[in-house]
Amino acid sequence: MTRYKIGTFLKYLFLTIAAFVSVFPLLWMFISATNSSIDVLGGRLLPGSHLVTNFQNLTARANIPQAMWNSFRNAAVSTIASLIVCSVAGYGFEIYHDRGKDLLMRILLLSMMIPFAAIMIPLFMMVGNFNLLSTTTAFVLPSVATGFLIFLFRQSARYFPYELIEASRLDGLSELGIFIRMYVPVMRSTYATAAIITFMAGWNSYLWPLIIMQNADSRTMPLVLSNLIAGYVTDYGLLMLAVSISVLPTIAIFLLLQKSFAEGIIASAR
Amino acid sequence: MAKPTSLKLHTKQNIVGWAFVIPASILIFTFFFYPIGKAFLLSFQTGFGANAQYAGLVNYKRLLSDNTFKTSLVNVLTFLVLQVPVMLLLALALAYTLNDHKLKFRALFRTALFLPCATSLVSYSIVFRSLFALDGFMNALLLNLNVIQSPINWLANPWTAKLVIMLALTWRWTGYNMIFFLSALQNIDRSIFEAAIIDGANGFNRFFKITIPMLKPIILLTAIMSTNGTLQLFDETVNITNGGPTNATLSISQYIYRLSFQYSPRFPYAAAMSFVVFVLVGILSAMQMRVGDKR
């Protein structure tokens, strides 16, 4: 019995330490956002009264509303576009599958093996040639269609009852009508998962906007954050406030939709 | 009469099917396959635009004598060998501990451990950079606890800088990998564990003799995903250490970025380097697919 108790104690101790380590840096970040740089460096762990000052200093140094809007617009457009394109394709590959389409699907899946670093130079040249530098279009184009999302929607179409499609055909619905009126409403959870993955990827994207967003007004939050650490003197209160602002939306999504979030992550590896 | 109609219907459906899949296919060919082919061709050139010249294997030969490239490759492999196994073992141990229905506050623990996944790579990198700054929180804490006598310049020393990168990576990705293990553990029939308990196997034996063998496919999967991620490391090394001190944490992607966009652009040479990354990742992804087939 004592051995069992020690074991249980160690279990809780292990989990508590791990949970504390996981949460602490974020907690520290939020607390530091309300403190002056001197207090942050002094190791202060209590909320302070510098939130407003930090906010004023931050907005004087960087156009945060613009960067937030850029990040949001890019992520939202990319999410809507890829959900439409990839769900249509995934449905098509499954419902109308034949040899040719199966082969094409297998080829498309190979695209998932291509690391971004390997294609960023040609992509940058293409975007430059089309005069699309610093635009949402340039941000979105390479991520509208991904092998992974098409695969995700094809898998979900596999569980869609074929009888429903045939019944709808007899009722005179067009093929596109069947997709929109039958498939889309049933597959809401797949859409939610796909939306979370795509939105998060767009919101957090760093390397691609770093290359293409050359105009100051087009910079997204990660780029603005990264710029704030350049220079010799760092105002840690200001910096942590900026990071907190950029992290809040994704933490909110995470806490509200944890289940879809976890499903999205697991699905992303299959 | 019925036959031709159904044939016509079939053709119509076939055309609709192609119309459904063509837009996405064109996009993938344009933004994945065309660029990788282009990068491949580019890697055999010198100069670009009007000055482009076919140069054979010159860029690849130069890679072999490029010490910065070697350093970045060694850095990334160091992270891979030291950080990935520790992280996966930790994730596995956490998932195993969490997978207990009698555990109190289970949902709370899971949420806390999973929370780092909600932060963007740039954001958490900046938090870690600040925590480990010379005048930062970590040094203040260790000085107060009398663990150290003078502040450690974490980010200015090659090994401590590497350590901070690895700590940061572990913080961000352990919960992520834990979710995979947890979902796999929940699929293991509990009666297997119950039988083992009746047979007298202790927790340690159950972990190494049942859990690990049954999770082998997922362990391999997470290992290969982590490998791919580490080979493509960029956001963290740029924002925590900016590759320093003296390239001690420079990643391959960051070196490619520097060659292409920070120094006078050397696209063909950078393309050759990126093609090496592609081959490395390709080999590992092929392994991933083979592992996937065996499941």
Side-chain angles (χ1 to χ4, degrees):
Chain A
M1 204 56 198
T2 10
R3 237 187 87 192
Y4 173 76
K5 270 184 188 160
I6 293 171
T8 314
F9 173 74
L10 287 177
K11 233 184 212 181
Y12 281 101
L13 186 69
F14 177 46
L15 289 176
T16 308
I17 292 173
F20 178 77
V21 172
S22 292
V23 176
F24 180 76
L26 295 173
L27 206 61
W28 180 80
M29 169 192 79
F30 284 126
I31 290 171
S32 299
T34 68
N35 281 316
S36 70
S37 196
I38 294 163
D39 282 341
V40 174
L41 294 174
R44 187 184 159 99
L45 285 177
L46 292 168
S49 53
H50 270 75
L51 183 62
V52 176
T53 322
N54 286 339
F55 191 76
Q56 284 163 349
N57 292 342
L58 175 62
T59 43
R61 256 192 83 178
N63 193 347
I64 298 293
Q66 171 89 64
M68 288 290 275
W69 165 242
N70 289 340
S71 278
F72 177 78
R73 187 191 57 232
N74 291 345
V77 172
S78 139
T79 305
I80 294 166
S82 37
L83 253 57
I84 295 171
V85 170
C86 296
S87 71
V88 167
Y91 177 86
F93 274 119
E94 182 60 32
I95 303 299
Y96 306 101
H97 84 99
D98 56 28
R99 262 195 184 172
K101 291 190 199 79
D102 286 352
L103 177 69
L104 181 60
M105 178 76 204
R106 240 175 279 147
I107 294 170
L108 295 188
L109 282 178
L110 289 177
S111 68
M112 287 161 72
M113 285 171 34
I114 299 175
F116 186 73
I119 53 174
M120 68 179 182
I121 297 165
L123 281 178
F124 170 76
M125 291 160 80
M126 284 162 75
V127 164
N129 288 341
F130 294 139
N131 268 329
L132 288 172
L133 287 175
S134 301
T135 63
T136 298
T137 313
F139 179 92
V140 165
L141 272 177
S143 57
V144 169
T146 62
F148 162 63
L149 274 192
I150 298 171
F151 183 71
L152 185 74
F153 280 106
R154 194 190 70 161
Q155 291 304 95
S156 76
R158 188 158 287 180
Y159 299 105
F160 187 69
Y162 198 75
E163 302 81 55
L164 212 60
I165 295 172
E166 289 185 324
S168 310
R169 277 181 190 145
L170 290 177
D171 285 349
L173 264 166
S174 70
E175 297 296 313
L176 189 64
I178 296 169
F179 171 77
I180 292 170
R181 294 213 203 141
M182 297 286 151
Y183 176 82
V184 174
V186 174
M187 292 302 161
R188 251 175 302 176
S189 77
T190 309
Y191 277 94
T193 302
I196 290 173
I197 300 167
T198 319
F199 188 86
M200 291 287 230
W203 182 267
N204 294 337
S205 172
Y206 178 57
L207 181 49
W208 181 232
L210 182 65
I211 299 169
I212 55 163
M213 298 305 183
Q214 301 184 337
N215 179 337
D217 289 341
S218 66
R219 290 208 186 108
T220 57
M221 268 315 267
L223 301 184
V224 168
L225 291 178
S226 193
N227 270 346
L228 285 176
I229 56 175
Y232 289 101
V233 185
T234 308
D235 181 335
Y236 285 98
L238 177 159
L239 187 61
M240 288 305 116
L241 178 63
V243 179
S244 301
I245 292 171
S246 89
V247 161
L248 268 177
T250 46
I251 288 192
I253 294 174
F254 169 80
L255 292 176
L256 293 173
L257 305 166
Q258 205 189 135
K259 203 166 160 267
S260 303
F261 195 90
E263 274 163 14
I265 283 181
I266 291 163
S268 68
R270 293 218 174 107
Chain B
M1 263 319 260
K3 214 177 172 188
T5 337
S6 90
L7 201 73
K8 235 172 84 186
L9 204 72
H10 188 78
T11 320
K12 196 192 127 205
Q13 281 174 16
N14 196 21
I15 291 168
V16 172
W18 281 109
F20 274 42
V21 303
I22 287 291
S25 306
I26 290 176
L27 285 166
I28 288 191
F29 273 89
T30 315
F31 296 107
F32 287 90
F33 295 133
Y34 170 73
I36 194 72
K38 183 89 180 159
F40 186 64
L41 293 178
L42 205 59
S43 73
F44 294 105
Q45 293 176 4
T46 53
F48 72 103
N51 300 322
Q53 262 181 336
Y54 176 77
L57 289 170
V58 165
N59 290 318
Y60 290 95
K61 278 183 195 145
R62 212 167 102 202
L63 269 180
L64 295 174
S65 56
D66 183 343
N67 284 326
T68 312
F69 174 68
K70 277 181 211 159
T71 307
S72 68
L73 192 62
V74 170
N75 288 342
V76 165
L77 294 177
T78 310
F79 296 145
L80 190 66
V81 173
L82 296 180
Q83 188 263 335
V84 172
V86 172
M87 172 184 68
L88 292 183
L89 209 63
L90 191 61
L92 198 55
L94 285 169
Y96 183 71
T97 319
L98 267 183
N99 189 38
D100 174 353
H101 294 267
K102 281 174 281 178
L103 196 78
K104 282 178 193 130
F105 312 116
R106 201 161 153 242
L108 193 67
F109 281 129
R110 197 184 49 213
T111 305
L113 292 168
F114 193 29
L115 191 62
C117 293
T119 60
S120 80
L121 303 186
V122 172
S123 304
Y124 95 86
S125 296
I126 290 177
V127 172
F128 269 77
R129 175 196 173 96
S130 309
L131 281 170
F132 285 92
L134 180 59
D135 44 7
F137 178 81
M138 260 339 223
N139 276 332
L141 179 75
L142 294 175
L143 283 169
N144 281 334
L145 293 174
N146 277 322
V147 179
I148 51 172
Q149 301 310 316
S150 56
I152 299 172
N153 202 347
W154 298 99
L155 304 178
N157 175 302
W159 276 102
T160 50
K162 282 195 177 81
L163 182 72
V164 173
I165 299 269
M166 289 190 279
L167 284 174
L169 287 169
T170 309
W171 181 82
R172 174 63 170 74
W173 297 104
T174 302
Y176 176 88
N177 288 296
M178 183 193 76
I179 293 296
F180 288 95
F181 294 140
L182 204 55
S183 95
L185 278 173
Q186 278 158 0
N187 291 332
I188 296 181
D189 193 349
R190 271 206 288 161
S191 62
I192 297 174
F193 285 103
E194 278 152 18
I197 292 170
I198 292 166
D199 287 345
N202 61 26
F204 194 76
N205 273 334
R206 290 201 299 274
F207 182 71
F208 284 100
K209 301 259 166 73
I210 302 174
T211 311
I212 292 209
M214 290 203 75
L215 290 189
K216 212 174 133 198
I218 298 288
I219 295 172
L220 285 166
L221 179 74
T222 51
I224 289 158
M225 284 189 323
S226 308
T227 308
N228 284 354
T230 311
L231 284 174
Q232 298 183 54
L233 202 63
F234 181 81
D235 301 19
E236 286 90 343
T237 60
V238 170
N239 288 296
I240 299 178
T241 55
N242 199 13
T246 55
N247 295 340
T249 56
L250 183 74
S251 71
I252 307 175
S253 293
Q254 195 183 354
Y255 189 39
I256 294 174
Y257 171 78
R258 282 187 182 172
L259 282 174
S260 317
F261 302 105
Q262 279 190 334
Y263 308 146
S264 59
R266 287 191 292 192
F267 286 155
Y269 182 49
M273 202 174 297
S274 67
F275 211 77
V276 172
V277 179
F278 171 61
V279 172
L280 279 172
V281 171
I283 290 168
L284 290 157
S285 300
M287 278 164 64
Q288 178 173 1
M289 284 180 178
R290 286 186 70 177
V291 171
D293 278 348
K294 277 184 197 149
R295 255 192 297 172

